[in-house]
Amino acid sequence: MPELPEVEITARLLDGALSGAEVESALAPGVNALKTFDPPLSAIDGQRFLWVHRRGKMFVLELDGGLSLLVHLMSAGRLQIFDSRASLRDRASRLLVRLADGRELRLREFGTRQRAWVKLLRTDDLYEEDNLVALGPEAWPDPPPLLELLELLDQPRPLYALLRDQQVIAGIGRSWVDEILHTAMLSPFKRGSDLEADEAERLREAAVRRLGDAIEHYEDAIALPIPDKLPMPLTVHRRNGEPCPRCGDRLEAVFYEDYVMCYCPTCQTEGKVLKDRRLSRLLK
Ligand SMILES: [Zn+2]
């Protein structure tokens, strides 16, 4: 599940690999992957990549002809570069950008759902694009200062939901929210509006440290070609049943339909084990 650190390292590697590379042609075999029609995808033929960077969990791939690709991997997408073109039709491919040097940039998506998307935009209009306009400030490297953060989070919603809301703060998803809340020793169900200044400061520091450490880890662990699965340095998320890395007590989980939230009762919820929604549904 690509979140800020995974998108950041991918953007860095792609930037190094693509800078100056010329597009020969591009196609979008995914049914609904390409969300724009003007300009047409063929407009990037012959253009060179200038810069690949990240905003929230999205990639921005700027080309030298004044166009940019905005890419969102959603929960199961990958943006990868291959030395040769797909010989067989790769069923996971949503976007193929063939380069003049024989390589190929591919947006691939694993699983049955097709949710990853691409927009081709004029670079001048890029930051007026709805998805980018709606984004909150970045969670890393420099999240909002304390007072601004307190104001952003001053909502009667649980931190677990607030921190994953890209319009509140950009870059955090289901994996890293568990890690950040555990590091900050905060309950996932504490309401944003109940946050004290020292708690918000811990949250801020935890986000900077955990996301930054993950990016550093990837810098050491990953090189081209970008692997299908990144070695995410998670210590709490999906570790339910294992000992807490801080206190050694058992990590617990709340299971939702298609994801899981993990936490340490001792470190985060004053010993309280939160209600498991899956279990309570079964017991109805
Ligand atoms: Zn603990």
Side-chain angles (χ1 to χ4, degrees):
M1 203 163 282
E3 299 176 25
L4 189 153
E6 293 72 38
V7 175
E8 175 70 24
I9 190 66
T10 304
R12 287 182 187 182
L13 289 167
L14 289 177
D15 186 52
L18 284 175
S19 185
E22 185 187 332
V23 175
E24 185 182 289
S25 63
L27 62 146
V31 181
N32 292 314
L34 187 64
K35 298 289 185 199
T36 52
F37 56 90
D38 178 31
L41 197 51
S42 59
I44 67 170
D45 295 359
Q47 294 196 19
R48 290 176 187 275
F49 283 98
L50 281 179
W51 186 30
V52 180
H53 56 110
R54 175 192 67 76
R55 176 72 174 98
K57 293 191 267 184
M58 286 177 265
F59 293 93
V60 178
L61 297 94
E62 287 188 25
L63 293 137
D64 69 356
L67 296 175
S68 288
L69 291 163
L70 182 66
V71 178
H72 199 312
L73 303 179
M74 299 304 289
S75 59
R78 301 286 180 273
L79 196 56
Q80 295 164 304
I81 189 155
F82 293 88
D83 281 338
S84 56
R85 290 164 184 180
S87 51
L88 298 166
R89 198 182 145 92
D90 177 4
R91 287 170 60 94
S93 287
R94 304 284 177 257
L95 174 78
L96 301 170
V97 180
R98 293 178 170 162
L99 304 176
D101 60 19
R103 293 180 301 161
E104 188 172 76
L105 174 71
R106 277 180 232 164
L107 169 62
R108 300 164 77 218
E109 192 170 26
F110 301 99
T112 49
R113 282 189 279 186
Q114 295 202 17
R115 295 172 62 223
W117 55 256
V118 182
K119 291 183 177 181
L120 178 61
L121 303 158
R122 289 177 184 87
T123 304
D124 284 346
D125 303 337
L126 188 63
Y127 290 96
E128 286 155 38
E129 197 281 329
D130 292 349
N131 295 89
L132 288 175
V133 168
L135 277 188
E138 292 286 328
W140 177 93
D142 198 18
L146 185 59
L147 287 180
E148 203 180 311
L149 185 66
L150 274 166
E151 207 167 296
L152 274 173
L153 298 176
D154 188 15
Q155 298 184 38
R157 296 158 66 198
L159 290 176
Y160 184 67
L162 270 177
L163 294 176
R164 289 181 300 127
D165 182 341
Q166 302 304 298
Q167 302 194 13
V168 174
I169 192 155
I172 302 169
R174 288 166 188 165
S175 302
W176 288 105
V177 71
D178 283 356
E179 302 292 323
I180 291 166
L181 286 170
H182 179 266
T183 298
M185 299 181 83
L186 289 168
S187 167
F189 286 142
K190 188 174 187 89
R191 289 175 193 280
S193 44
D194 292 339
L195 214 57
E196 305 286 345
D198 62 322
E199 294 172 324
E201 189 53 46
R202 291 211 305 269
L203 193 59
R204 193 179 183 281
E205 282 168 12
V208 173
R209 178 149 67 84
R210 295 305 307 274
L211 299 172
D213 285 356
I215 294 163
E216 247 175 67
H217 162 82
Y218 292 140
E219 281 282 2
D220 292 338
I222 297 172
L224 291 169
I226 297 161
D228 286 351
K229 215 171 153 48
L230 301 188
M232 293 177 78
L234 302 169
T235 59
V236 176
H237 185 67
R238 293 196 177 278
R239 296 286 179 102
N240 41 306
E242 295 181 26
C244 166
R246 183 190 291 113
C247 73
D249 288 347
R250 189 185 135 100
L251 295 172
E252 297 289 344
V254 177
F255 291 88
Y256 294 85
E257 197 117 335
D258 55 0
Y259 60 101
V260 58
M261 179 186 82
C262 296
Y263 66 100
C264 172
T266 308
C267 295
Q268 293 174 261
T269 58
E270 295 169 337
K272 213 168 85 189
V273 175
L274 303 172
K275 200 159 83 178
D276 187 330
R277 308 202 165 193
R278 182 183 58 174
L279 204 59
S280 48
R281 198 167 54 234
L282 289 174
L283 293 175
K284 252 183 219 162

